[in-house]
């Protein structure tokens, strides 16, 4: 799995694109693009990989992904079964920061929307979004021209003022991605994201980077501000959190599905990263969701 730069340029005589993506499963492509992307999940479940974060996604989720932020939507395993009748569907709006012209969002009346774009550089998930606002986004598919432009501007205004958001990636990842964008870094990250829940090794990653293990370890820590093993562990724990929330596997099942080889190590690493045990994490999540 390689990191891809996708061309999302509009070919519909419009300053931004609005599209329905519907497939048996979302495309397993780790990619980025210069446009921001507003996504509404309509059907299917899985994990979204955004920067160095992993988040469960499900119908009704609304996410804004900043420009050049690597991401991938990965459906649950059963969507890839040849006999599966399930499907994945999402509305995606792609637009550039200056889609209404240079300086438009720098005016006093629009600066809050520009601040939304800045926050979206790390990826934003909107929590407890009003149903009517989701309907407004879906209604965009029926509009054209001036009406569509005004409707989208109104949506951005409401999203910018919405209080409940969750950051999906870390500033450390964003900084390292900007400063070290290279084929070597792309290939190493692709190897990690494609194998984090299977066998993965420092030696293999070093081979991909055409370095010896010592040089690669120094390179990786300088770029990512953490060791290779810590980085992989955090990816695995993030995926484990997603599996725990789904509540389809017991803790032992989550341990092995996330790439850990034994329960004791899983529990120890989980507590180091999340500051709580897997069972406490699940308990706290249930308490939070029940209070909504």
């Amino acid at each position: 799995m390689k990191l891809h730069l996708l061309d999302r340029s509009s070919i519909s005589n419009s300053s931004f694109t609005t599209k329905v993506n519907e497939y048996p499963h979302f495309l397993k492509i780790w990619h980025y693009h210069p446009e921001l992307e507003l996504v509404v999940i309509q059907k299917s479940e899985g994990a979204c990989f955004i920067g160095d974060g992993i988040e469960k996604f499900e119908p009704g989720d609304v996410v804004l992904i900043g420009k050049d932020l690597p991401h991938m939507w990965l459906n649950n395993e059963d969507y890839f079964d040849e006999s599966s009748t399930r499907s994945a569907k999402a509305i995606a709006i792609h637009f550039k920061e200056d889609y209404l012209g240079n300086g438009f969002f720098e005016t006093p009346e629009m600066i809050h929307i520009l601040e939304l774009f800045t926050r979206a550089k790390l990826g934003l998930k909107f929590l407890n979004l009003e149903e009517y606002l989701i309907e407004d986004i879906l209604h965009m598919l029926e509009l054209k021209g001036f009406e569509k432009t005004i409707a989208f501007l109104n949506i951005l205004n409401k999203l910018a003022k919405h209080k409940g958001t969750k950051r999906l990636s870390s500033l450390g990842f964003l900084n390292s991605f900007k400063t070290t964008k290279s084929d070597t870094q792309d290939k190493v990250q692709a190897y990690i994201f494609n194998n984090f829940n299977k066998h993965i090794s420092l030696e293999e990653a070093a081979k991909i980077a055409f370095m010896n293990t010592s040089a690669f370890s120094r390179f990786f820590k300088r770029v990512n501000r953490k060791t290779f093993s810590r980085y992989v562990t955090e990816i695995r724990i993030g995926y484990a959190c997603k599996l725990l929330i789904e509540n389809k596997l017991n803790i032992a099942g989550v341990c092995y599905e996330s790439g850990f080889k034994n329960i004791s190590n899983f529990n120890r690493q989980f507590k180091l990263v999340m500051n709580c045990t897997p069972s406490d994490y699940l308990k706290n999540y249930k308490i939070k969701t029940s209070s909504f």
Side-chain angles (χ1 to χ4, degrees):
M1 182 175 65
K2 182 183 177 183
L3 177 63
H4 295 270
L5 169 62
L6 297 188
D7 181 6
R8 297 290 191 183
S9 302
S10 173
I11 57 173
S12 58
N13 195 30
S14 175
S15 55
F16 58 94
T17 60
T18 310
K19 185 181 178 184
V20 179
N21 295 317
E22 187 166 13
Y23 311 100
H25 51 78
F26 292 133
L27 303 180
K28 188 179 178 182
I29 300 176
W30 177 237
H31 68 283
Y32 68 101
H33 39 72
E35 298 82 12
L36 289 90
E37 180 177 357
L38 180 63
V39 179
V40 179
I41 302 295
Q42 291 189 287
K43 291 168 65 177
S44 84
E45 300 173 334
C48 57
F49 295 72
I50 298 180
D52 58 353
I54 303 176
E55 181 77 11
K56 175 189 176 185
F57 73 81
E58 59 189 4
D61 282 353
V62 179
V63 173
L64 181 60
I65 301 169
K67 65 177 183 178
D68 293 331
L69 180 60
H71 56 282
M72 176 177 69
W73 301 88
L74 180 62
N75 284 115
N76 293 338
E77 286 296 327
D78 51 342
Y79 284 84
F80 295 89
D81 193 314
E82 290 183 2
S83 62
S84 174
T85 58
R86 309 189 74 176
S87 64
K89 184 178 180 182
I91 306 299
I93 301 174
H94 292 91
F95 62 99
K96 292 187 177 179
E97 280 191 4
D98 60 352
Y99 81 98
L100 288 177
N102 290 329
F104 181 86
F105 289 108
E106 295 175 5
T107 59
E109 295 82 3
M110 301 294 166
I111 198 70
H112 63 297
I113 297 179
L114 185 60
E115 290 170 353
L116 173 70
F117 297 165
T118 300
R119 289 190 289 138
K121 288 179 180 180
L122 300 175
L124 284 178
K125 181 177 181 178
F126 296 91
L127 308 175
N128 305 317
L129 205 59
E130 295 85 352
E131 187 62 36
Y132 78 86
L133 185 48
I134 296 177
E135 290 298 325
D136 286 348
I137 298 172
L138 301 182
H139 185 55
M140 290 275 295
L141 295 167
E142 303 171 17
L143 301 176
K144 293 182 180 179
F146 179 80
E147 288 78 14
K148 185 176 183 179
T149 300
I150 295 301
F152 187 43
L153 192 58
N154 190 40
I155 288 167
L156 290 175
N157 173 52
K158 292 174 182 175
L159 290 175
K161 294 178 178 179
H162 185 73
K163 299 297 182 184
T165 59
K166 179 179 181 181
R167 192 177 72 185
L168 300 178
S169 186
S170 73
L171 185 59
F173 176 87
L174 184 67
N175 290 339
S176 67
F177 181 72
K178 280 183 177 178
T179 58
T180 61
K181 230 188 283 188
S182 66
D183 284 344
T184 297
Q185 179 73 349
D186 289 352
K187 289 174 183 176
V188 169
Q189 286 186 329
Y191 167 69
I192 292 171
F193 279 101
N194 206 32
N195 295 281
F196 71 91
N197 61 341
K198 307 168 190 171
H199 175 71
I200 194 167
S201 71
L202 175 68
E203 291 76 14
E204 185 61 31
K207 283 181 184 177
I208 291 169
F210 296 102
M211 299 179 187
N212 63 48
T213 54
S214 297
F216 175 74
S217 294
R218 291 193 296 272
F219 162 79
F220 192 91
K221 189 171 183 179
R222 175 175 57 81
V223 168
N224 296 285
R225 297 189 174 94
K226 60 188 72 173
T227 65
F228 178 79
S229 61
R230 174 71 180 190
Y231 190 92
V232 172
T233 295
E234 289 183 3
I235 295 294
R236 285 173 170 169
I237 295 300
Y239 190 65
C241 290
K242 174 254 181 190
L243 294 176
L244 287 168
I245 290 169
E246 286 180 352
N247 205 25
K248 293 179 181 176
L249 298 170
N250 59 26
I251 290 177
V254 169
C255 161
Y256 297 115
E257 188 65 26
S258 302
F260 292 92
K261 295 182 178 178
N262 62 74
I263 294 290
S264 60
N265 184 45
F266 171 62
N267 287 333
R268 183 169 58 253
Q269 297 300 333
F270 195 100
K271 194 164 186 178
L272 280 173
V273 174
M274 302 301 297
N275 295 314
C276 65
T277 65
S279 56
D280 285 341
Y281 175 85
L282 187 55
K283 206 177 296 179
N284 292 335
Y285 174 79
K286 289 178 178 177
I287 292 171
K288 286 179 183 178
T289 53
S290 65
S291 64
F292 289 158

